[in-house]
Amino acid sequence: MEKVLKKVDIIFENGDDYNPMAILENELSRPGDEIILDLIDSGLKGRGGAGFLTGLKWKFTRNEDNDVKYVICNADEGEPGTFKDREILDTVPEKVLVGMAICSHAIGAKEGYIYLRGEYNFLLKKLQHKIDEFNRAIEERGMDFKIYLRSGSGAYVCGEESALFESMEGYRGEPRNKPPYPTVSGYNNKPTVINNVETLVYVTMISKLGPEKFKELGTKDSRGSKVFSVSGDTPIPGIYELELGMLLGQFVDEFADGDAKAVQVGGASGNCVPRKKFADTIIGFEGIPTGGSMMIFNSTRSMYNVLHDYLEFFTEESCGQCTPCRVGCQQLLKGIEAVKRGEKPPAYLDDLKKLTATMKIAAKCGLGQSVSNPFNSIVDNFREEIIY
Amino acid sequence: MTNTDLLVKDLVHQHGKKRNSLMAVLQGVVKEERFLSEDALIAVAREFDLSAADVYGTASFYTFLDTIPRGKNIIRVCKTITCHMKGKDEVLLALENMLKVKAGETTHDRKFTLLTANCLGWCHKGPVMLVNDEVYPELTPQKAIEIIEEYSRH
């Protein structure tokens, strides 16, 4: 059965019947495990890209026996092509705060943090004001929970959850070994739920709509809707909330300029889908999962330049801690440059693909592991553009 | 006591002495002094009872925690793919010509430092630059120059 592209308006909706504090009030009157069961039932998966079941994450943290637990909102979106969380924090911040408070009630946390990337410092003042208001409101209500704002300092890798904890603790933002996972040992080595901005907003909206309503949207593997950030060769760049499970072809029909030759799905670390695969690529966990970034390239673009830009990005943003990523990214970059200059034969690209296979297994975190996605998909589908 | 020492003491008083406050203190110094001088790093290390190498090692990890002198205004032009596609090269070139510096350098009067940045999160409105914490999307070379001229008046 073919899904049709459907625009929805859940997150940015501001109807008369919408009152974030009323949603919170209602959730506070329910037992935490009931809220979590509903969340699991809704099928909401984390909107950062990895797609872990949000309710399950909460359940694990709730089940930890510890007096101190944390809720952290990951607002360190730094993936090229992704800008949805900025828009959400700018336009509907109270929905994020309510999501955090619902989480604190469900898992038993007394402190929450928003880790905002340094590039979004222009939001600090407004957001702090919102947080102060919110903290006052829930304190008056007798809720023992407080939200604090932390700001990053320009390091992409800090979007990785354990690197984010390191940064919050005052260290270099280098990812930790896993396990233990944050649900067991996160910020300050305490059980921590860390969700991205969009996930927390959906928590609030699922609380309002109920899991059934949310489940009506999307597919079996990809429930609900999601926010997409559309950029590149499109006449209508911007932010759109769409139902999950659409075909990439439908997306291209709606958003591209009629000349799209590739779409990079899921930001720089995602997959590049060529035109011939548009018609049968599903956007969702059963096809290509995405944190929401869609970069469209038309036939005037050199895919060598695109890959070169991505590799430069990863080379500069690699934290440098593990060799596969630190050295691997540099070698990939040097490698495609050498092929382009004719210093290496085209077959060298296959050697580089073996290197990405190693990085996928051996790199410590998602940054190094996922470089293989753009590399292999661009090299495989646009090989001649890399060589000539 | 130097001004830097006083600033660090004040920030530590504000944020606390625990290591969790280190980033906030370093960010506070950068906000006031535009970069982390050797003196500032040593003062922070003393307050937190850490080695200066540890503090430097942490600071140098982050792009926004500069450890070399910066101008009064820091310009960061986004260089990632979609801004690239929309003409960030032309914007950067215009700014380089105007300020008579290359990307990465500071003007002689110390008013501006021109840098490039990895994705500022405005991919739909590129090219974009940050001046200090202010965002300027949908730039043209002309627009970028006018914005910087405005800054150079103050």
Side-chain angles (χ1 to χ4, degrees):
Chain A
M1 194 181 65
E2 250 186 43
K3 272 276 169 194
V4 287
L5 184 115
K6 193 167 141 200
K7 290 186 182 169
V8 272
D9 186 18
I10 295 178
I11 284 191
F12 299 106
E13 166 241 9
N14 267 321
D16 293 338
D17 60 335
Y18 162 72
N19 174 352
M21 287 312 275
I23 297 172
L24 180 59
E25 284 287 339
N26 188 44
E27 291 301 89
L28 292 180
S29 67
R30 303 169 65 206
D33 51 355
E34 205 177 278
I35 295 173
I36 291 177
L37 279 177
D38 268 3
L39 203 54
I40 293 173
D41 181 37
S42 77
L44 176 69
K45 289 180 179 176
R47 290 321 195 209
F52 193 74
L53 213 54
T54 304
L56 213 52
K57 198 186 247 186
W58 289 22
K59 189 179 160 191
F60 292 155
T61 314
R62 179 186 165 88
N63 290 347
E64 283 298 310
D65 184 21
N66 205 313
D67 292 341
V68 182
K69 293 175 188 176
Y70 298 105
V71 182
I72 292 180
C73 168
N74 184 345
D76 192 67
E77 82 181 333
E79 185 87 24
T82 311
F83 44 93
K84 64 189 171 68
D85 288 348
R86 172 180 53 71
E87 188 81 5
I88 294 170
L89 281 171
D90 202 11
T91 52
V92 289
E94 66 279 2
K95 290 183 187 173
V96 183
L97 303 179
V98 167
M100 291 175 74
I102 293 172
C103 180
S104 88
H105 171 65
I107 65 163
K110 293 187 178 66
E111 280 180 33
Y113 291 86
I114 297 180
Y115 185 93
L116 184 73
R117 68 188 295 224
E119 288 84 346
Y120 291 173
N121 273 351
F122 67 95
L123 276 175
L124 273 179
K125 225 168 145 181
K126 191 175 152 192
L127 199 54
Q128 186 63 58
H129 181 70
K130 280 277 173 205
I131 291 172
D132 291 342
E133 265 180 11
F134 184 77
N135 281 341
R136 260 199 307 278
I138 57 174
E139 195 190 337
E140 276 166 16
R141 208 210 151 270
M143 193 181 173
D144 187 11
F145 178 62
K146 202 170 171 189
I147 296 176
Y148 303 87
L149 186 57
R150 290 290 193 86
S151 143
S153 274
Y156 165 71
V157 71
C158 288
E160 197 278 340
E161 49 196 21
S162 64
L164 187 148
F165 302 144
E166 289 290 310
S167 177
M168 280 179 64
E169 291 173 22
Y171 297 92
R172 295 165 70 87
E174 292 173 342
R176 297 173 181 168
N177 286 321
K178 290 183 193 178
Y181 292 97
T183 52
V184 177
S185 175
Y187 178 49
N188 289 338
N189 299 319
K190 303 289 184 194
T192 303
V193 162
I194 177 162
N195 283 142
N196 89 335
V197 175
E198 190 187 343
T199 312
L200 289 161
V201 172
Y202 273 115
V203 165
T204 305
M205 298 325 285
I206 289 168
S207 293
K208 185 196 163 204
L209 302 169
E212 289 308 319
K213 197 99 183 156
F214 186 75
K215 262 160 66 177
E216 285 170 13
L217 293 169
T219 62
K220 194 172 125 293
D221 292 326
S222 312
R223 293 285 181 211
S225 54
K226 128 147 239 27
V227 183
F228 288 87
S229 49
V230 183
S231 63
D233 292 312
T234 161
I236 44 169
I239 303 215
Y240 300 89
E241 190 177 359
L242 305 169
E243 187 180 356
L244 280 169
M246 64 186 163
L247 290 168
L248 185 54
Q250 294 166 327
F251 172 85
V252 169
D253 288 345
E254 176 85 19
F255 290 98
D257 60 4
D259 185 30
K261 77 166 168 188
V263 179
Q264 178 76 15
V265 180
S269 67
N271 280 288
C272 191
V273 184
R275 186 185 286 150
K276 63 175 186 280
K277 291 185 190 157
F278 286 171
D280 45 33
T281 300
I282 299 170
I283 304 303
F285 293 101
E286 58 272 77
I288 295 196
T290 168
S293 157
M294 301 290 237
M295 284 183 266
I296 305 171
F297 304 112
N298 70 19
S299 61
T300 66
R301 307 296 171 188
S302 151
M303 296 312 287
Y304 170 81
N305 285 346
V306 172
L307 181 58
H308 194 272
D309 262 39
Y310 289 160
L311 290 176
E312 238 179 20
F313 174 80
F314 288 120
T315 303
E316 285 176 24
E317 294 297 337
S318 169
C319 84
Q321 186 192 188
C322 76
T323 316
C325 178
R326 181 185 65 244
V327 180
C329 289
Q330 296 190 29
Q331 292 307 319
L332 293 175
L333 182 59
K334 282 185 200 164
I336 63 161
E337 285 173 349
V339 171
K340 192 77 180 170
R341 284 194 302 262
E343 290 163 13
K344 293 276 183 192
Y348 188 61
L349 291 174
D350 299 316
D351 294 337
L352 294 174
K353 277 178 68 182
K354 283 183 203 152
L355 174 58
T356 64
T358 305
M359 290 168 71
K360 194 168 185 159
I361 303 166
K364 192 170 174 184
C365 81
L367 196 158
Q369 288 160 11
S370 61
V371 177
S372 63
N373 296 334
F375 191 88
N376 291 354
S377 55
I378 293 178
V379 165
D380 286 347
N381 294 308
F382 300 97
R383 198 178 173 93
E384 66 295 340
E385 289 191 39
I386 309 296
I387 299 167
Y388 303 111
Chain B
M1 229 186 251
T2 65
N3 285 343
T4 302
D5 288 341
L6 287 171
L7 172 66
V8 169
K9 271 202 184 303
D10 186 42
L11 287 164
V12 170
H13 182 73
Q14 240 180 79
H15 297 285
K17 252 183 178 357
K18 275 176 43 190
R19 177 118 191 186
N20 288 23
S21 313
L22 182 62
M23 288 286 283
V25 170
L26 294 175
Q27 285 164 346
V29 176
V30 171
K31 198 168 174 151
E32 285 300 314
E33 303 194 336
R34 314 311 298 161
F35 84 111
L36 293 159
S37 62
E38 207 176 308
D39 289 346
L41 288 166
I42 291 169
V44 171
R46 202 183 301 125
E47 289 295 322
F48 279 90
D49 200 16
L50 296 168
S51 78
D54 194 349
V55 176
Y56 176 77
T58 304
S60 62
F61 185 84
Y62 298 94
T63 327
F64 283 24
L65 299 179
D66 290 308
T67 50
I68 49 174
R70 297 297 192 203
K72 186 174 160 221
N73 299 294
I74 300 183
I75 308 165
R76 296 173 203 269
V77 180
C78 182
K79 65 171 180 178
T80 28
I81 186 72
T82 42
C83 283
H84 190 164
M85 287 159 63
K86 303 290 175 196
K88 66 97 192 167
D89 282 346
E90 290 76 16
V91 169
L92 193 59
L93 191 67
L95 291 175
E96 284 180 338
N97 287 336
M98 176 198 181
L99 299 169
K100 301 196 170 46
V101 291
K102 291 276 169 216
E105 294 174 351
T106 300
T107 55
H108 282 296
D109 60 5
R110 299 232 152 270
K111 263 197 162 167
F112 294 98
T113 297
L114 181 62
L115 301 173
T116 54
N118 275 334
C119 198
L120 297 174
W122 291 83
C123 317
H124 59 327
K125 290 187 176 173
V128 60
M129 67 176 175
L130 275 184
V131 182
N132 306 323
D133 284 341
E134 283 307 307
V135 192
Y136 298 95
E138 291 176 318
L139 292 174
T140 59
Q142 188 54 33
K143 226 165 121 184
I145 287 172
E146 281 165 19
I147 290 161
I148 299 306
E149 271 171 354
E150 197 54 42
Y151 275 89
S152 57
R153 286 202 194 102
H154 309 295

